Amino acid sequence: MQYPSNTLRRMSEVLDALKISSVYHEDSETFELKDQKLIILEDKSCYKADYLRQGQKVILIFPDGTLTFLSSDKTEKPVFIMHCKNCEKYFFAERVHRMPILCPVNETHSVSYFAKEKIPGWFGEENDSIIEAENYDDHLLALDNADTSKLDSVYNKLNGKPKYICIDEDTLQKIKDLEKKYPNMKDVIDYMLQNANASRLKKNGALSFKPFVLLGGPGCGKSSFARDLCMILMGKPPVKIDLGNDVANFTLSGSDPAYKSSSHGLIVESMFADSDGRPTKNPIILFDELDKIKGDQNHSIETIFYSILEKSNSRRFFNNYLGINVDASGINYIFTANKLDGIPAPILNRLKIFEIKDYTHEQLRDFVLDNFYENWLESSGMLREFLPAVLSEEIRNRILLYSNDNPRSIEDSIVKVCNETLTTDPETNEQIALFSPRELYLGWKKFRGSPAISKDPWKIPEVDFFSGK
């Protein structure tokens, strides 16, 4: 039968699959479910007042698979599809607030929800996977000396229904907040916000963006920004590849497992499953120092870029280690470079370029220095309670004076000023530093930081009850 719309065609398939008896009336473009005294229609204008007089309820079906009951005044209420385990019947019902539910057929309490408000699988079930599993067993049989247990371990980390990096309101706000930390990255942040908002309209909500390169001089924050962005989006650092270290193409695509030092490659590693057992379809890979790529060496990584940066090619990206194709089309890529010289034109044509300016003195003083100070406290394991919670203007200016506004010299300048201001509190005999004379005069304890608390979940400390410690 020819239906006037895909929605009605799909509805007929749903009714057939659920074995719900129905009659389609072509003149009114409605399905009649005589057993349940229901009319299903797509267009409100097809609603007839005599449906209610005949004791029939009306259900409106929407193009996205949503179902609503339609009352005489055209107001809508959600529809629930119910299933009876005893009689194996499906039926439509209004929202039920209490269980158990009485089956209208056999009048037993054996009913459960099948679907709430929306028909599951309405758009079809896609074969969403990362690996082409059918060739994997053949690849194993062809290997004589390889350790297949290692291959199975890699295979299992890519097998199963994948998950996606998706964007919620909290993530959007964290991306916006990056501008406080990286004021010279506004254009990049705006670009990411645009893509993040667009991803929320996708069926699977997956974040995707055109590969881009952060182009700027040393110390402008390219690598640290990329890492912080990935931490927000993925909750972990990205797979990072330093192109200044003569990276060979099999570093990405994997090498033959017959070799003793074979590897699975970083393309598949970026998609490995976490503790939840589900691989990630759209992770982020960071390529550092693109301008140092060497295209004239054997096994140059340059040839791989022509495959992975084109989605049509990367859908069937061959992994030499597993001997099968993997779908790498969802992977997102960020590059950094100090200059464009030396980067092959075919690669640049595939990238969006962001020119990152150096920090101004004001940006360093008002925003960036706080980031350097926090990183120094964290990485050096400093006792925060004997140092300022926030650096004073006088200390900030001295640090930037010694560093000559060069970000790469800021940490050394912090250490220098720390040594210059190191002093002993006469009352407690404690060593303190980085406090300005004004703060010392007013009482340094008013300006000091709080001891850092571990980010690990708290556990009951082990106590030696015999020693009392």
Side-chain angles (χ1 to χ4, degrees), residues 140-427:
L140 292 182
L141 292 173
L143 299 174
D144 295 326
N145 302 318
D147 184 350
T148 56
S149 64
K150 292 182 179 180
L151 270 75
D152 284 339
S153 175
V154 173
Y155 178 86
N156 290 332
K157 290 178 180 177
L158 297 171
N159 198 14
K161 188 173 182 178
K163 61 185 177 184
Y164 295 89
I165 298 171
C166 300
I167 305 299
D168 56 21
E169 289 296 333
D170 183 55
T171 304
L172 274 177
Q173 188 58 52
K174 288 179 179 178
I175 296 173
K176 293 176 184 177
D177 290 343
L178 279 175
E179 191 174 344
K180 300 174 185 176
K181 198 172 181 180
Y182 300 97
N184 58 342
M185 298 284 177
K186 185 181 186 308
D187 290 344
V188 190
I189 293 169
D190 288 344
Y191 175 70
M192 290 304 303
L193 290 172
Q194 292 168 11
N195 285 279
N197 281 317
S199 72
R200 301 168 79 181
L201 298 175
K202 296 180 182 178
K203 186 166 60 176
N204 53 26
L207 172 69
S208 65
F209 52 85
K210 182 178 179 179
F212 62 84
V213 56
L214 302 175
L215 178 68
C220 69
K222 304 185 298 292
S223 297
S224 59
F225 168 79
R227 185 183 184 280
D228 285 355
L229 177 63
C230 292
M231 286 296 296
I232 290 172
L233 297 173
M234 298 194 295
K236 62 181 180 180
V239 169
K240 182 180 177 182
I241 299 140
D242 188 351
L243 297 174
N245 291 334
D246 294 339
V247 179
N249 58 21
F250 51 78
T251 305
L252 291 184
S253 59
S255 51
D256 194 317
Y259 293 111
K260 188 175 182 180
S261 58
S262 59
S263 172
H264 51 261
L266 295 176
I267 290 290
V268 299
E269 183 173 312
S270 71
M271 297 186 285
F272 274 180
D274 294 317
S275 57
D276 60 3
R278 294 181 60 189
T280 303
K281 192 71 173 285
N282 60 331
I284 302 172
I285 294 180
L286 173 60
F287 288 100
D288 214 8
E289 299 187 298
L290 179 60
D291 47 322
K292 295 184 180 178
I293 187 175
K294 296 182 179 179
D296 56 350
Q297 63 178 359
N298 292 331
H299 310 295
S300 170
I301 198 174
E302 178 184 339
T303 57
I304 299 294
F305 286 147
Y306 302 139
S307 296
I308 64 176
L309 296 181
E310 293 287 350
K311 288 192 179 295
S312 58
N313 296 328
S314 59
R315 292 188 191 281
R316 302 185 81 248
F317 182 78
F318 187 75
N319 181 266
N320 295 308
Y321 188 74
L322 293 173
I324 57 176
N325 290 317
V326 299
D327 183 358
S329 62
I331 300 178
N332 297 292
Y333 301 97
I334 299 176
F335 295 80
T336 69
N338 292 331
K339 55 185 179 180
L340 295 179
D341 298 346
I343 303 176
I347 294 178
L348 280 180
N349 292 338
R350 290 167 166 82
L351 303 177
K352 183 176 179 64
I353 300 172
F354 289 100
E355 295 189 24
I356 310 302
K357 296 180 180 179
D358 290 337
Y359 295 117
T360 64
H361 174 78
E362 290 73 23
Q363 288 174 337
L364 284 172
R365 181 193 64 207
D366 299 336
F367 301 101
V368 182
L369 189 52
D370 288 332
N371 186 30
F372 277 96
Y373 181 53
E374 178 61 32
N375 289 341
W376 176 71
L377 291 172
E378 182 72 26
S379 62
S380 302
M382 305 303 291
L383 296 171
R384 296 168 182 251
E385 58 267 41
F386 302 121
L387 296 160
V390 178
L391 294 174
S392 66
E393 184 176 352
E394 180 177 335
I395 296 296
R396 288 170 183 268
N397 288 332
R398 198 190 308 187
I399 291 170
L400 293 179
L401 177 64
Y402 288 156
S403 67
N404 197 27
D405 287 353
N406 182 352
R408 295 205 164 185
S409 301
I410 284 180
E411 186 171 324
D412 290 338
S413 299
I414 292 175
V415 174
K416 182 176 180 180
V417 177
C418 179
N419 289 329
E420 288 180 352
T421 57
L422 186 65
T423 187
T424 302
D425 177 28
E427 295 182 8

Side-chain angles (χ1 to χ4, degrees), residues 98-133:
R98 290 187 294 179
M99 298 287 283
I101 303 169
L102 191 67
C103 175
V105 179
N106 60 21
E107 297 186 348
T108 60
H109 294 298
S110 55
V111 174
S112 61
Y113 288 120
F114 170 71
K116 300 181 179 181
E117 303 178 33
K118 199 168 186 177
I119 298 174
W122 180 255
F123 292 105
E125 295 295 333
E126 296 181 359
N127 183 21
D128 195 5
S129 62
I130 290 175
I131 52 181
E132 291 187 1

Side-chain angles (χ1 to χ4, degrees), residues 81-85 88-91 110-114:
I81 305 177
M82 315 301 291
H83 177 246
C84 176
K85 297 177 182 177
E88 292 298 323
K89 295 283 187 179
Y90 291 88
F91 59 93
S110 55
V111 174
S112 61
Y113 288 120
F114 170 71

